Amino acid sequence: MMPHNPSLVTHNGGVRICVIEGDGIGHEVVPTAVEALRAVAPDLEFIPAEAGLECFERRGVAIPEETWTAIDGADGILFGAISAPSDDIPGYEPVILTLRQRLGLYANLRPTLSPPLPGLRPEVDLVIVRENTEGLYVRTEWGDEAAAVALRVITRRASERIAKVAFELARKRRRKVTVVHKANVMKRTCGLFRTVALEVGEEYPDVEVEEMLVDAMAMWLAKEPERFDVVLTPNLFGDILSDEASVWGGGLGMAPSLNVGEGPPLAEPVHGSAPDIAGRGIANPTAALLSAAMLLEVGLGRAGEARRLREAVWKVLAAGYHTPDLPGEEGKMVDTARFGELVRMCLEGERWG
Ligand code: NAD
Ligand code: IPM
Ligand code: MN
């Protein structure tokens, strides 16, 4: 398959976005993002599709055939969250992993930016570039009650292509890449990832390269997040570090991501289905809104609309409106729907606030 190229997106008949709410708070945050996209980019066409654990429980299939058809015809995917319980559910695989792997979405871009919220450090601006297809996520494990083994796969091909994404991105930013690994212990797997990343780095003499063991990285990310620009790391470390980094952006409710590679770009919040708050209408839709902005900008090449959407979200936050997961005045606490409405009004130039 050819790499996804925004310039190849056909505009006759509109740009099609496949919308997969998924499970839990996916049903609450995604409609908000769709409304904002409608306001900022009226030509987009939305095709709703089902997937996730709720779908599996109802229909016996986590990603139904018609969802694959909807994805096939889509220029981009807006995804909420799915549940992936730790207990084994025979026949169920975490949908998001299947999508990333089957669609060849090998790069997961997970930015953290200091938001206009009280009490947070003001100058964090980093992007974790997470390898999305291999490492421990090949999900090949075996064992019994006494012992278990997991396969960890690192290939030159996947390491090279993700490293290129990181260095290209660094060129558009502050020109620094931190390669995060654990090659002191996993000499073959992390060793290969590190070697390839440093080799690719040599092709970018204008970009500063540093390397860091993942344990030290966890510490520096908590202590001095401003020192990072682009963070390049294998799959599982990227998963863990992106939840940690989200704290500097206001928490998981604020952390967006975009999966890119061969198939249609897939935007998704970093967070999961949040069963502890699902169904109460209080989830923070900002992560979904900012993911939608990433889909517009990086996925579809529509930077102006993405900027308008981000600015609207920032304005609403800067005015003090916040869902309960965020700090702020009691009187300006709003629910998911109201937050979304304020963003939409801001985009449509209505009086708000
Ligand atoms: P989670 O991200 O769902 O929630 C962690 C904590 O953050 C919870 O306290 C939750 O209430 C809070 N939170 C998350 N998103 C929020 C939002 N938008 N607004 C306000 N608070 C928010 O992680 P978890 O609880 O470990 O996992 C729940 C389920 O989600 C699991 O089944 C897990 O496998 C799955 N999961 C899916 C994805 C995905 O679909 N990409 C990502 C992570 C976890
Ligand atoms: C994420 C999630 C997924 C992952 C889970 C739900 C399989 O935590 O998108 O960060 O581990 O990649
Ligand atoms: Mn995660």
Side-chain angles (χ1 to χ4, degrees):
M1 220 191 293
M2 284 286 290
H4 184 80
N5 179 346
S7 66
L8 297 179
V9 172
T10 49
H11 289 262
N12 51 335
V15 175
R16 276 180 295 202
I17 308 296
C18 176
V19 179
I20 301 175
E21 294 180 359
D23 295 320
I25 61 167
H27 300 298
E28 299 163 44
V29 297
V30 169
T32 298
V34 170
E35 282 314 299
L37 283 174
R38 278 192 208 285
V40 80
D43 64 310
L44 296 185
E45 192 187 324
F46 297 95
I47 298 124
E50 269 197 316
L53 184 60
E54 293 162 19
C55 176
F56 180 79
E57 284 167 347
R58 205 165 358 94
R59 301 180 49 178
V61 54
I63 309 178
E65 211 40 58
E66 73 266 16
T67 296
W68 285 115
T69 307
I71 288 171
D72 262 354
D75 302 303
I77 304 168
L78 182 63
F79 185 90
I82 48 93
S83 297
S86 300
D87 285 327
D88 193 35
I89 302 173
Y92 179 72
E93 293 286 328
V95 163
I96 187 64
L97 300 185
T98 310
L99 291 175
R100 288 174 189 154
Q101 280 161 355
R102 289 263 299 263
L103 299 175
L105 301 174
Y106 56 81
N108 196 329
L109 312 176
R110 297 188 148 187
T112 300
L113 186 65
S114 292
L117 292 174
L120 285 170
R121 293 164 75 123
E123 285 180 9
V124 181
D125 181 3
L126 62 88
V127 182
I128 293 174
V129 176
R130 169 187 179 188
E131 202 292 319
N132 229 6
T133 59
E134 56 179 32
L136 282 162
Y137 278 71
V138 296
R139 289 174 290 154
T140 304
E141 297 184 298
W142 61 96
D144 54 28
E145 293 78 35
V149 179
L151 194 67
R152 184 168 195 251
V153 177
I154 301 281
T155 63
R156 170 170 286 274
R157 175 175 168 267
S159 303
E160 209 167 74
R161 67 187 178 182
I162 193 69
K164 283 183 180 154
V165 170
F167 281 96
E168 288 294 329
L169 181 62
R171 272 198 172 149
K172 297 187 195 131
R173 294 175 45 93
R174 303 196 307 280
R175 293 176 185 258
K176 179 176 172 185
V177 172
T178 305
V179 182
V180 176
H181 56 75
K182 188 74 184 173
N184 57 340
V185 174
M186 289 170 280
K187 291 191 187 291
R188 296 297 289 269
T189 51
C190 267
L192 180 58
F193 187 86
R194 167 180 183 253
T195 301
V196 173
L198 297 179
E199 274 173 22
V200 171
E202 280 171 20
E203 293 164 29
Y204 295 79
D206 51 320
V207 177
E208 182 194 342
V209 188
E210 73 174 348
E211 57 174 312
M212 197 169 277
L213 296 169
V214 66
D215 45 354
M217 176 68 194
M219 183 278 294
W220 282 113
L221 191 52
K223 189 179 161 72
E224 211 181 294
E226 299 83 357
R227 67 180 274 174
F228 300 107
D229 178 16
V230 174
V231 176
L232 166 62
T233 188
N235 209 334
L236 180 62
F237 299 159
D239 177 46
I240 298 167
L241 293 173
S242 53
D243 273 36
E244 184 186 347
S246 81
V247 173
W248 297 121
L252 276 174
M254 301 283 290
S257 85
L258 185 71
N259 300 271
V260 289
E262 291 161 357
L266 184 156
E268 51 152 350
V270 171
H271 65 69
S273 58
D276 56 340
I277 57 164
R280 292 167 54 196
I282 58 166
N284 188 344
T286 304
L289 287 159
L290 297 176
S291 299
M294 290 183 80
L295 181 60
L296 283 173
E297 178 164 17
V298 186
L300 301 174
R302 298 167 68 142
E305 293 157 343
R307 193 180 53 248
R308 282 184 56 214
L309 176 47
R310 265 194 306 268
E311 281 171 4
V313 173
W314 244 233
K315 268 187 199 160
V316 172
L317 289 168
Y321 294 99
H322 63 283
T323 43
D325 54 306
L326 297 178
E329 282 169 40
E330 187 72 31
K332 287 197 167 170
M333 193 187 287
V334 293
D335 62 12
T336 314
R338 179 65 183 152
F339 191 93
E341 193 180 21
L342 289 169
V343 171
R344 184 191 53 73
M345 288 165 80
C346 188
L347 283 168
E348 289 178 345
E350 284 177 47
R351 276 176 59 83
W352 61 280

